[in-house]
Amino acid sequence: MAKKTVELGEAELAVMRALWEGGPQTVRDVLNRLHERGKTVAYTTVLTFLTRLEQKGVVASDKRDTAYVYRARISRQSVTTSRIKALVDQLYDGAAAPVLLHLIENERFTPDEIAQLRKLIDDLDAGSPE
Amino acid sequence: MAKKTVELGEAELAVMRALWEGGPQTVRDVLNRLHERGKTVAYTTVLTFLTRLEQKGVVASDKRDTAYVYRARISRQSVTTSRIKALVDQLYDGAAAPVLLHLIENERFTPDEIAQLRKLIDDLDAGSPE
DNA sequence: CCTCTACTACTACCGGTGTCGTAGGAAGAT
DNA sequence: ATCTTCCTACGACACCGGTAGTAGTAGAGG
């Protein structure tokens, strides 16, 4: 059944990133992580986000000792997928190629990344029956 | 200096697309175009969008006969650029590679597109001294 | 001149996101 | 038992984006 693509705002994403990168954490942990990243925000703001995110079903929490521990229930990959889909749909009516080409032309990549990219393309060629 | 990246919503983008694809148009033209695309929205809604977009500086208008003619002042390319940048920054802290790889792995491309892609990569390799 | 029509200006409203403040409970310190 | 500290629950608020209604104006037709 269709996981109805939840849209996340920028600040919400920052919280998700804290969870993705630091694993299950308490509100305070997330707060500290955001502060380290230069994002100064109030404790209750983080709490609000985590609560909302839980309501949206993208994070879960368990009581651990005195405080709740929150963890991500969706992967960064899946968010990437829906974000890209939105972008591609809204700007190019679903055609991904222009976006792909745009990325290659406008961003900088290391030789390693280029090599990896080339390999992927070879695989694409090889493994695309029908 | 620095064109302060204007963020556009989905419906606003739909209007921009009408302008990009149909050139300078009146409110009614845009409305018809949206209707053709299956987007049923009121005349005044389109007017509101065009007015707001003009205030944001992304479209301009000229009085022509009885009605104003609106035209885009920013390209689809530039919007693509900022959208991608936002995505990449918000999800991968500025690293474009994961997004690029994601696109290749998850979207379908035609042989032509793949060929074009391969060519671009070859150019990348060639044109990157040091 | 009067009316109909199309266009613009202004205002409004709702839901979502970003941001907190305050109140109240639980747990540790004195 | 009380004070201090940390945590959660709940409410608040402003701004933006999506959507539209109404009023007012200017030209087209009779």
Side-chain angles (χ1 to χ4, degrees):
Chain A
M1 269 300 314
K3 48 178 69 174
K4 50 140 170 230
T5 302
V6 184
E7 272 317 318
L8 302 177
E10 179 165 4
E12 288 177 328
L13 269 188
V15 170
M16 290 306 291
R17 283 190 58 183
L19 296 181
W20 285 327
E21 290 163 18
Q25 298 161 64
T26 64
V27 175
R28 188 149 303 272
D29 292 335
V30 171
L31 177 68
N32 291 149
R33 220 162 247 276
L34 292 181
H35 281 179
E36 277 165 23
R37 285 195 138 275
K39 179 98 177 163
T40 54
V41 71
Y43 181 96
T44 47
T45 302
V46 177
L47 177 58
T48 300
F49 279 134
L50 285 168
T51 305
R52 285 183 188 166
L53 288 169
E54 185 164 23
Q55 252 159 10
K56 291 185 183 183
V58 299
V59 315
S61 66
D62 308 276
K63 189 80 168 177
R64 171 86 119 237
D65 283 324
T66 84
Y68 282 96
V69 172
Y70 293 85
R71 64 176 193 282
R73 292 191 63 194
I74 58 171
S75 66
R76 194 190 303 231
Q77 290 295 316
S78 70
V79 174
T80 305
T81 300
S82 45
R83 273 293 281 265
I84 290 182
K85 177 162 171 33
L87 197 169
V88 161
D89 283 350
Q90 287 169 31
L91 275 161
Y92 297 94
D93 216 5
V99 176
L100 179 57
L101 300 183
H102 188 98
L103 254 173
I104 295 186
E105 284 168 2
N106 292 280
E107 301 284 343
R108 296 280 143 230
F109 299 97
T110 68
D112 274 5
E113 287 165 351
I114 295 176
Q116 193 178 353
L117 181 52
R118 193 190 302 279
K119 186 161 175 309
L120 270 178
I121 294 174
D122 290 344
D123 290 354
L124 264 195
D125 256 2
S128 63
E130 63 175 323
Chain B
M1 276 310 318
K3 46 182 71 173
K4 51 147 173 216
T5 302
V6 184
E7 273 315 319
L8 303 177
E10 180 165 2
E12 288 177 329
L13 269 188
V15 170
M16 290 306 292
R17 285 189 58 181
L19 295 181
W20 285 328
E21 290 163 17
Q25 298 161 63
T26 64
V27 176
R28 189 150 302 274
D29 292 335
V30 172
L31 177 69
N32 290 149
R33 219 163 248 276
L34 291 180
H35 281 177
E36 277 164 23
R37 284 194 138 279
K39 178 99 176 164
T40 52
V41 73
Y43 181 95
T44 48
T45 301
V46 177
L47 177 59
T48 299
F49 279 133
L50 284 168
T51 305
R52 284 183 188 167
L53 288 170
E54 185 164 23
Q55 252 157 10
K56 291 186 184 182
V58 299
V59 315
S61 66
D62 307 276
K63 188 80 168 177
R64 174 85 120 238
D65 282 324
T66 84
Y68 282 97
V69 173
Y70 293 85
R71 63 174 192 282
R73 293 190 61 193
I74 58 172
S75 67
R76 195 191 303 232
Q77 290 294 316
S78 70
V79 173
T80 305
T81 300
S82 47
R83 273 292 282 262
I84 289 182
K85 176 160 172 33
L87 197 168
V88 161
D89 283 349
Q90 287 169 30
L91 276 161
Y92 297 93
D93 215 6
V99 175
L100 179 57
L101 300 182
H102 188 98
L103 255 174
I104 294 186
E105 285 169 358
N106 293 280
E107 301 284 343
R108 299 276 146 232
F109 299 98
T110 68
D112 275 3
E113 287 166 351
I114 294 177
Q116 194 178 353
L117 181 53
R118 194 189 302 276
K119 187 159 174 310
L120 270 178
I121 292 174
D122 291 343
D123 290 352
L124 265 195
D125 255 1
S128 65
E130 68 173 322

